[in-house]
């Protein structure tokens, strides 16, 4: 246990030291997710986080989701066996969620409905490709807007002795109804770090290129996600 903890600390330290060197960091975005299985094919998620997307200022976001998924795929189960998220072994996950987003400056909050479809494909015995199709249906001050976002991600486990971490890289373009165009692209690089049987950390770096408003804006962000599975 002590040796495993030492490897975890080394891996976390390397990530935290290297990511800020990539670019000047504009914001830090913390997040916590709680997952609880209701049945073999259903689970509930509770999420609380800070987010900045779609050219909006930093917002607090909180709310539940329900996930529905197919039976595990053997090749996916083998490629993701060191990940605590059992949805990673499912070829298709359908989700419906609600989020309440408060404005940091005390402005009008946003009520969001989120239908999501996530597909996973084993590229090899150790590498998985994930494509997530998500709609954000937003009501704010009586005005309805929507956006579509498609996130493509590649990930695969890396062993440090008996400890396994999972680095990943992904890209996510956004289409926003208020601009009538693809107005944002986000690029992510991170690493999933299991701590104990029910706990994972996910530190990541995100670069956003926002072209919806003039002038264009680029942001470099660090995030830290705490995932709890029960």
């Amino acid at each position: 246990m002590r040796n495993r903890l030492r490897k975890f600390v080394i891996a976390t330290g390397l990530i935290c030291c290297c990511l800020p060197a990539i670019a000047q960091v504009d914001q830090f975005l913390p997040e916590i997710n709680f997952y609880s299985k209701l049945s073999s094919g259903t689970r509930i998620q509770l999420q609380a986080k800070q987010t900045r997307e779609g050219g909006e200022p930093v917002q607090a976001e909180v709310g539940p989701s329900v996930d529905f998924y197919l039976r595990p795929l053997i090749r996916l189960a083998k490629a993701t066996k060191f990940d605590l998220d059992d949805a990673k072994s499912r070829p298709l996950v359908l989700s419906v969620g609600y989020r309440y987003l408060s404005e940091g400056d005390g402005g009008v909050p946003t009520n969001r409905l989120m239908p999501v479809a996530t597909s996973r494909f084993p590229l090899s015995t150790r590498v998985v490709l994930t494509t997530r199709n998500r709609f954000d249906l937003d009501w704010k001050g009586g005005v309805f807007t929507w956006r579509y976002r498609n996130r493509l991600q590649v990930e695969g486990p890396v062993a440090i002795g008996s400890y396994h971490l999972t680095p990943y890289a992904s890209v996510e373009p956004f289409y926003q109804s208020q601009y009538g165009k693809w107005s944002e692209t986000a690029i992510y690089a991170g690493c999933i770090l299991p701590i104990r049987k029910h706990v994972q950390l996910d530190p990541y770096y995100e670069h956003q290129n926002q072209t919806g408003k003039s002038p264009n804006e680029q942001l470099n962000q660090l995030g830290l996600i705490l995932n709890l599975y029960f």
Side-chain angles (χ1 to χ4, degrees):
M1 179 65 185
R2 185 176 300 174
N3 189 40
R4 184 175 178 180
L5 181 60
R6 186 185 304 116
K7 292 172 181 176
F8 166 74
V9 172
I10 292 172
T12 305
L14 288 173
I15 292 169
C16 293
C17 290
C18 292
L19 287 181
I22 297 175
Q24 180 180 352
V25 176
D26 299 301
Q27 289 155 346
F28 174 69
L29 303 175
E31 176 179 339
I32 183 170
N33 296 295
F34 174 86
Y35 298 90
S36 180
K37 294 185 69 173
L38 302 178
S39 68
S40 61
T42 311
R43 73 177 180 185
I44 189 170
Q45 173 194 3
L46 297 176
Q47 182 183 75
K49 68 176 185 177
Q50 282 193 320
T51 183
R52 181 172 183 180
E53 299 167 337
E56 298 292 335
V58 174
Q59 297 171 294
E61 180 176 336
V62 62
S65 294
V66 180
D67 299 337
F68 307 92
Y69 35 70
L70 301 180
R71 295 179 63 182
L73 186 66
I74 294 178
R75 289 191 63 193
L76 276 175
K78 290 181 178 179
T80 61
K81 64 181 179 180
F82 300 109
D83 199 305
L84 300 184
D85 186 357
D86 65 348
K88 295 282 187 74
S89 65
R90 318 291 176 132
L92 178 64
V93 178
L94 301 177
S95 305
V96 178
Y98 165 79
R99 297 293 185 271
Y100 177 86
L101 291 86
S102 62
E103 293 287 351
D105 58 1
V108 179
T110 300
N111 292 281
R112 172 175 294 168
L113 185 64
M114 295 180 353
V116 185
T118 304
S119 302
R120 293 183 175 87
F121 310 91
L123 298 181
S124 71
T125 57
R126 298 182 65 84
V127 180
V128 174
L129 172 66
T130 300
T131 174
R132 186 186 71 181
N133 295 280
R134 168 177 158 180
F135 281 93
D136 294 340
L137 310 177
D138 293 345
W139 286 264
K140 180 177 180 179
V143 177
F144 172 72
T145 58
W146 61 270
R147 63 182 175 183
Y148 166 71
R149 46 200 294 185
N150 175 234
R151 182 166 175 169
L152 291 174
Q153 179 165 303
V154 176
E155 63 184 86
V158 174
I160 303 177
S162 61
Y163 182 76
H164 292 80
L165 50 83
T166 306
Y168 64 86
S170 57
V171 59
E172 185 174 30
F174 294 67
Y175 183 94
Q176 296 184 253
S177 64
Q178 63 265 48
Y179 304 127
K181 64 177 182 178
W182 296 93
S183 58
E184 181 178 339
T185 301
I187 299 172
Y188 309 84
C191 192
I192 299 169
L193 305 167
I195 302 176
R196 295 193 175 185
K197 186 177 180 181
H198 302 290
V199 183
Q200 280 188 165
L201 278 180
D202 180 358
Y204 68 91
Y205 164 77
E206 177 182 358
H207 175 77
Q208 288 186 16
N209 183 30
Q210 301 172 353
T211 61
K213 301 177 181 178
S214 183
N216 296 350
E217 184 178 19
Q218 295 193 15
L219 295 172
N220 297 290
Q221 300 164 321
L222 284 181
L224 181 62
I225 305 172
L226 173 63
N227 292 317
L228 306 173
Y229 300 95
F230 296 97

